[in-house]
Amino acid sequence: MPRFAAIATLAATALISGCLPPPPGHFGSFVTSVTPDAYGQRLCRHLDLEDYSACLSEVLEYFEKPSPNDLPYGHHSNAGPIALVLDRRVYLGRYDGSPLVTSFHVTHGNQFCQGGYDAFAGSTDAILAVWCSDGRRGRADLTSALDGRNGIGLLELEDGTRAEIVFGYTALGQAEPYPYVHWTPPTD
């Protein structure tokens, strides 16, 4: 029965988000079709042009390899790896999500960013409040892929800096080790 409820909720969200404009404060829709190319663009955009195409090819090759869909439902269906590309650096970590409470924590060397929302604590929107170890604050808006277990997002800090977000096992496999080995972020 819980699986049926999750599928019904996802279907309703997909229908609503496809028919209505995003609510105020959101960068995009709640659910969308995300292609391997879209994941690659977000994960590689920070690289110089000569490295961008090689990185994008590696991401697309990763998606071409057959991989079993053997992750069990339950905790893995709403938690997993996340990558945040901020200031030309890839921050890696984990997200945990549900419709009412979501959080993430990513690191790059000694630097980190984390964010979340909690409807039980008064959050009225699914926009994640974000704070980073360098003192910057902002907000992140996540969009789920149609499978509901992966997706993309955008982080916007108060100083105008923007960062790309990719999350889920399909896009990243796992955060450690980073699957795109040639583009593993060096620690500072």
Side-chain angles (χ1 to χ4, degrees):
M1 187 66 170
R3 185 173 178 186
F4 174 75
I7 291 170
T9 302
L10 181 61
T13 302
L15 285 173
I16 292 169
S17 67
C19 298
L20 298 174
H26 285 278
F27 300 124
S29 62
F30 292 120
V31 178
T32 191
S33 175
V34 183
T35 64
D37 192 50
Y39 288 123
Q41 289 173 3
R42 283 164 178 78
L43 292 169
C44 302
R45 191 179 324 227
H46 68 287
L47 298 169
D48 294 327
L49 187 56
E50 60 271 4
D51 292 330
Y52 173 81
S53 61
C55 175
L56 185 58
S57 293
E58 187 173 352
V59 172
L60 296 177
E61 184 179 304
Y62 171 82
F63 277 90
E64 289 177 5
K65 294 178 188 171
S67 60
N69 186 7
D70 57 0
L71 289 174
Y73 281 92
H75 187 65
H76 288 290
S77 65
N78 59 358
I82 185 169
L84 171 77
V85 182
L86 173 64
D87 297 331
R88 298 180 54 99
R89 294 183 177 104
V90 180
Y91 289 67
L92 301 173
R94 180 171 175 78
Y95 77 92
D96 289 287
S98 76
L100 300 174
V101 178
T102 296
S103 65
F104 75 89
H105 183 88
V106 292
T107 61
H108 177 86
N110 293 331
Q111 298 174 339
F112 70 87
C113 290
Q114 59 189 28
Y117 75 89
D118 184 348
F120 298 114
S123 292
T124 58
D125 202 349
I127 299 291
L128 286 72
V130 177
W131 56 99
C132 298
S133 57
D134 63 5
R136 293 187 289 178
R137 295 184 176 277
R139 62 192 185 106
D141 190 7
L142 303 180
T143 301
S144 291
L146 293 176
D147 64 8
R149 300 174 89 172
N150 304 280
I152 56 176
L154 183 64
L155 165 70
E156 188 173 272
L157 297 172
E158 291 172 341
D159 66 3
T161 303
R162 289 180 157 220
E164 303 282 358
I165 299 171
V166 171
F167 64 93
Y169 286 100
T170 299
L172 298 169
Q174 55 192 12
E176 300 283 341
Y178 191 54
Y180 311 112
V181 294
H182 300 302
W183 318 111
T184 301
T187 55
D188 295 332

